Amino acid sequence: MRNFVVTIDGKTYSVGVEEVGESVSEASATPAQVVTEAPKAVKPVTPVNGIKVTSPFPGLIKNILVSDGASVKKDQPIIVLEAMKMDNEITAPCDGKVAISVAKGANVETNAVLAVIG
């Protein structure tokens, strides 16, 4: 099973898709299966200036505790990452303004950038 995060009309959904049998190629797809318009950008590219907050392990973004652009203090919880059915608070490594790089419901891998504090 592969997990994807899909945003529709501003709402984010976590979707699990199971691979079954042969894959459908674009050549054999019906017009209803072919996407003709480009997807909208959900989030700008993560800023390069600042300290990156990365995921210590793979998991699901269960909650984002601060809003994008908010001022945070060192050791303040900013994101709840669920892994192995346990909630883990990811904290700010320093004081500054936070730029959130993930969406609630997203699955992340180890070392994925969750936020940047600058």
Side-chain angles (χ1 to χ4, degrees), residues 28-110:
S28 66
T30 64
Q33 294 172 315
V34 178
V35 177
T36 57
E37 63 182 62
K40 296 178 184 175
V42 175
K43 201 136 186 76
V45 175
T46 302
V48 293
N49 296 333
I51 296 175
K52 293 179 181 175
V53 179
T54 59
S55 176
F57 36 75
L60 171 76
I61 303 298
K62 190 168 182 183
N63 201 1
I64 299 175
L65 304 174
V66 296
S67 58
D68 198 35
S71 293
V72 294
K73 297 286 184 188
K74 182 178 180 175
D75 297 325
Q76 177 181 344
I78 57 173
I79 293 175
V80 177
L81 178 66
E82 181 184 296
M84 297 177 59
K85 300 189 182 201
M86 292 185 65
D87 291 349
N88 302 278
E89 287 186 341
I90 306 300
T91 59
C94 61
D95 294 354
K97 289 198 179 209
V98 65
I100 302 293
S101 302
V102 293
K104 182 177 178 180
N107 285 303
V108 295
E109 296 298 324
T110 303

Side-chain angles (χ1 to χ4, degrees), residues 12-44:
T12 303
Y13 302 91
S14 180
V15 180
V17 179
E18 185 175 333
E19 294 181 38
V20 180
E22 295 181 34
S23 64
V24 178
S25 67
E26 197 168 312
S28 66
T30 64
Q33 294 172 315
V34 178
V35 177
T36 57
E37 63 182 62
K40 296 178 184 175
V42 175
K43 201 136 186 76

